[in-house]
PDB file of all heavy atoms in Angstrom:
ATOM      1  N   LYS L 131     100.386  73.568  58.482  1.00 84.00           N
ATOM      2  CA  LYS L 131      99.224  73.434  59.358  1.00 84.00           C
ATOM      3  C   LYS L 131      99.683  73.138  60.783  1.00 84.00           C
ATOM      4  O   LYS L 131     100.453  72.216  61.034  1.00 84.00           O
ATOM      5  CB  LYS L 131      98.312  72.318  58.863  1.00 84.00           C
ATOM      6  CG  LYS L 131      97.036  72.199  59.651  1.00 84.00           C
ATOM      7  CD  LYS L 131      96.117  71.145  59.089  1.00 84.00           C
ATOM      8  CE  LYS L 131      94.868  71.065  59.943  1.00 84.00           C
ATOM      9  NZ  LYS L 131      93.950  70.040  59.466  1.00 84.00           N
ATOM     10  N   GLU L 132      99.201  73.924  61.735  1.00 84.00           N
ATOM     11  CA  GLU L 132      99.561  73.732  63.148  1.00 84.00           C
ATOM     12  C   GLU L 132      98.634  72.718  63.805  1.00 84.00           C
ATOM     13  O   GLU L 132      97.455  72.634  63.469  1.00 84.00           O
ATOM     14  CB  GLU L 132      99.470  75.062  63.911  1.00 84.00           C
ATOM     15  CG  GLU L 132     100.602  75.999  63.596  1.00 84.00           C
ATOM     16  CD  GLU L 132     100.652  77.175  64.555  1.00 84.00           C
ATOM     17  OE1 GLU L 132     100.335  77.002  65.747  1.00 84.00           O
ATOM     18  OE2 GLU L 132     101.008  78.266  64.089  1.00 84.00           O
ATOM     19  N   PHE L 133      99.207  71.957  64.739  1.00 83.00           N
ATOM     20  CA  PHE L 133      98.411  71.039  65.545  1.00 83.00           C
ATOM     21  C   PHE L 133      99.112  70.876  66.892  1.00 83.00           C
ATOM     22  O   PHE L 133     100.282  71.219  67.061  1.00 83.00           O
ATOM     23  CB  PHE L 133      98.215  69.691  64.846  1.00 83.00           C
ATOM     24  CG  PHE L 133      99.483  68.894  64.661  1.00 83.00           C
ATOM     25  CD1 PHE L 133      99.827  67.889  65.557  1.00 83.00           C
ATOM     26  CD2 PHE L 133     100.325  69.144  63.587  1.00 83.00           C
ATOM     27  CE1 PHE L 133     100.997  67.160  65.376  1.00 83.00           C
ATOM     28  CE2 PHE L 133     101.483  68.412  63.412  1.00 83.00           C
ATOM     29  CZ  PHE L 133     101.825  67.415  64.305  1.00 83.00           C
ATOM     30  N   ALA L 134      98.361  70.379  67.863  1.00 84.00           N
ATOM     31  CA  ALA L 134      98.905  70.172  69.202  1.00 84.00           C
ATOM     32  C   ALA L 134      98.814  68.691  69.555  1.00 84.00           C
ATOM     33  O   ALA L 134      97.909  67.990  69.099  1.00 84.00           O
ATOM     34  CB  ALA L 134      98.134  71.003  70.222  1.00 84.00           C
ATOM     35  N   LYS L 135      99.771  68.240  70.339  1.00 83.00           N
ATOM     36  CA  LYS L 135      99.806  66.838  70.738  1.00 83.00           C
ATOM     37  C   LYS L 135     100.364  66.755  72.149  1.00 83.00           C
ATOM     38  O   LYS L 135     101.286  67.467  72.511  1.00 83.00           O
ATOM     39  CB  LYS L 135     100.697  66.053  69.771  1.00 83.00           C
ATOM     40  CG  LYS L 135     100.850  64.587  70.109  1.00 83.00           C
ATOM     41  CD  LYS L 135     101.663  63.881  69.044  1.00 83.00           C
ATOM     42  CE  LYS L 135     101.950  62.461  69.385  1.00 83.00           C
ATOM     43  NZ  LYS L 135     100.840  61.581  69.463  1.00 83.00           N
ATOM     44  N   GLU L 136      99.781  65.866  72.948  1.00 88.00           N
ATOM     45  CA  GLU L 136     100.321  65.597  74.273  1.00 88.00           C
ATOM     46  C   GLU L 136     101.630  64.828  74.115  1.00 88.00           C
ATOM     47  O   GLU L 136     101.656  63.795  73.435  1.00 88.00           O
ATOM     48  CB  GLU L 136      99.346  64.758  75.114  1.00 88.00           C
ATOM     49  CG  GLU L 136      98.119  65.500  75.579  1.00 88.00           C
ATOM     50  CD  GLU L 136      98.400  66.429  76.748  1.00 88.00           C
ATOM     51  OE1 GLU L 136      99.271  66.121  77.582  1.00 88.00           O
ATOM     52  OE2 GLU L 136      97.730  67.471  76.817  1.00 88.00           O
ATOM     53  N   VAL L 137     102.701  65.322  74.705  1.00 83.00           N
ATOM     54  CA  VAL L 137     104.012  64.704  74.599  1.00 83.00           C
ATOM     55  C   VAL L 137     104.523  64.415  76.001  1.00 83.00           C
ATOM     56  O   VAL L 137     104.408  65.251  76.905  1.00 83.00           O
ATOM     57  CB  VAL L 137     104.996  65.625  73.835  1.00 83.00           C
ATOM     58  CG1 VAL L 137     106.399  65.050  73.842  1.00 83.00           C
ATOM     59  CG2 VAL L 137     104.507  65.858  72.423  1.00 83.00           C
ATOM     60  N   GLU L 138     105.090  63.231  76.166  1.00 86.00           N
ATOM     61  CA  GLU L 138     105.614  62.826  77.465  1.00 86.00           C
ATOM     62  C   GLU L 138     107.106  63.132  77.542  1.00 86.00           C
ATOM     63  O   GLU L 138     107.863  62.825  76.631  1.00 86.00           O
ATOM     64  CB  GLU L 138     105.375  61.330  77.675  1.00 86.00           C
ATOM     65  CG  GLU L 138     105.609  60.894  79.090  1.00 86.00           C
ATOM     66  CD  GLU L 138     105.068  59.503  79.345  1.00 86.00           C
ATOM     67  OE1 GLU L 138     105.024  58.690  78.398  1.00 86.00           O
ATOM     68  OE2 GLU L 138     104.686  59.234  80.478  1.00 86.00           O
ATOM     69  N   PHE L 139     107.499  63.762  78.629  1.00 82.00           N
ATOM     70  CA  PHE L 139     108.892  64.101  78.886  1.00 82.00           C
ATOM     71  C   PHE L 139     109.447  63.160  79.955  1.00 82.00           C
ATOM     72  O   PHE L 139     108.746  62.815  80.904  1.00 82.00           O
ATOM     73  CB  PHE L 139     109.005  65.548  79.394  1.00 82.00           C
ATOM     74  CG  PHE L 139     108.671  66.582  78.354  1.00 82.00           C
ATOM     75  CD1 PHE L 139     107.361  66.799  77.960  1.00 82.00           C
ATOM     76  CD2 PHE L 139     109.671  67.342  77.770  1.00 82.00           C
ATOM     77  CE1 PHE L 139     107.047  67.752  77.004  1.00 82.00           C
ATOM     78  CE2 PHE L 139     109.370  68.296  76.814  1.00 82.00           C
ATOM     79  CZ  PHE L 139     108.052  68.503  76.429  1.00 82.00           C
ATOM     80  N   PHE L 140     110.683  62.754  79.820  1.00 80.00           N
ATOM     81  CA  PHE L 140     111.391  61.911  80.786  1.00 80.00           C
ATOM     82  C   PHE L 140     110.673  60.581  81.040  1.00 80.00           C
ATOM     83  O   PHE L 140     110.671  60.052  82.144  1.00 80.00           O
ATOM     84  CB  PHE L 140     111.627  62.655  82.107  1.00 80.00           C
ATOM     85  CG  PHE L 140     112.420  63.913  81.931  1.00 80.00           C
ATOM     86  CD1 PHE L 140     111.796  65.147  81.906  1.00 80.00           C
ATOM     87  CD2 PHE L 140     113.791  63.848  81.762  1.00 80.00           C
ATOM     88  CE1 PHE L 140     112.524  66.308  81.722  1.00 80.00           C
ATOM     89  CE2 PHE L 140     114.532  64.993  81.565  1.00 80.00           C
ATOM     90  CZ  PHE L 140     113.900  66.238  81.552  1.00 80.00           C
ATOM     91  N   SER L 141     110.106  60.012  79.993  1.00 84.00           N
ATOM     92  CA  SER L 141     109.377  58.749  80.151  1.00 84.00           C
ATOM     93  C   SER L 141     110.286  57.603  80.573  1.00 84.00           C
ATOM     94  O   SER L 141     109.822  56.623  81.158  1.00 84.00           O
ATOM     95  CB  SER L 141     108.628  58.399  78.868  1.00 84.00           C
ATOM     96  OG  SER L 141     109.514  58.361  77.770  1.00 84.00           O
ATOM     97  N   TRP L 142     111.591  57.726  80.333  1.00 88.00           N
ATOM     98  CA  TRP L 142     112.537  56.688  80.762  1.00 88.00           C
ATOM     99  C   TRP L 142     112.701  56.658  82.274  1.00 88.00           C
ATOM    100  O   TRP L 142     113.264  55.731  82.825  1.00 88.00           O
ATOM    101  CB  TRP L 142     113.899  56.870  80.089  1.00 88.00           C
ATOM    102  CG  TRP L 142     114.480  58.243  80.242  1.00 88.00           C
ATOM    103  CD1 TRP L 142     115.272  58.695  81.260  1.00 88.00           C
ATOM    104  CD2 TRP L 142     114.313  59.336  79.346  1.00 88.00           C
ATOM    105  NE1 TRP L 142     115.607  60.011  81.060  1.00 88.00           N
ATOM    106  CE2 TRP L 142     115.028  60.430  79.875  1.00 88.00           C
ATOM    107  CE3 TRP L 142     113.639  59.496  78.141  1.00 88.00           C
ATOM    108  CZ2 TRP L 142     115.083  61.673  79.245  1.00 88.00           C
ATOM    109  CZ3 TRP L 142     113.701  60.735  77.528  1.00 88.00           C
ATOM    110  CH2 TRP L 142     114.410  61.797  78.070  1.00 88.00           C
ATOM    111  N   GLU L 143     112.162  57.644  82.977  1.00 91.00           N
ATOM    112  CA  GLU L 143     112.219  57.677  84.439  1.00 91.00           C
ATOM    113  C   GLU L 143     111.017  56.971  85.079  1.00 91.00           C
ATOM    114  O   GLU L 143     110.969  56.812  86.298  1.00 91.00           O
ATOM    115  CB  GLU L 143     112.279  59.118  84.943  1.00 91.00           C
ATOM    116  CG  GLU L 143     113.530  59.874  84.541  1.00 91.00           C
ATOM    117  CD  GLU L 143     114.768  59.480  85.324  1.00 91.00           C
ATOM    118  OE1 GLU L 143     114.652  58.668  86.271  1.00 91.00           O
ATOM    119  OE2 GLU L 143     115.852  59.975  84.993  1.00 91.00           O
ATOM    120  N   LYS L 144     110.060  56.551  84.270  1.00 93.00           N
ATOM    121  CA  LYS L 144     108.862  55.911  84.814  1.00 93.00           C
ATOM    122  C   LYS L 144     109.176  54.525  85.381  1.00 93.00           C
ATOM    123  O   LYS L 144     110.027  53.818  84.863  1.00 93.00           O
ATOM    124  CB  LYS L 144     107.800  55.780  83.723  1.00 93.00           C
ATOM    125  CG  LYS L 144     107.231  57.115  83.291  1.00 93.00           C
ATOM    126  CD  LYS L 144     106.386  57.007  82.065  1.00 93.00           C
ATOM    127  CE  LYS L 144     105.081  56.326  82.324  1.00 93.00           C
ATOM    128  NZ  LYS L 144     104.194  56.342  81.155  1.00 93.00           N
TER     129      LYS L 144
END
Side-chain angles (χ1 to χ4, degrees):
K131 185 177 179 181
E132 286 192 35
F133 66 97
K135 178 176 175 65
E136 288 283 328
V137 174
E138 193 167 29
F139 291 73
F140 301 101
S141 56
W142 53 88
E143 296 285 355
K144 291 170 72 174

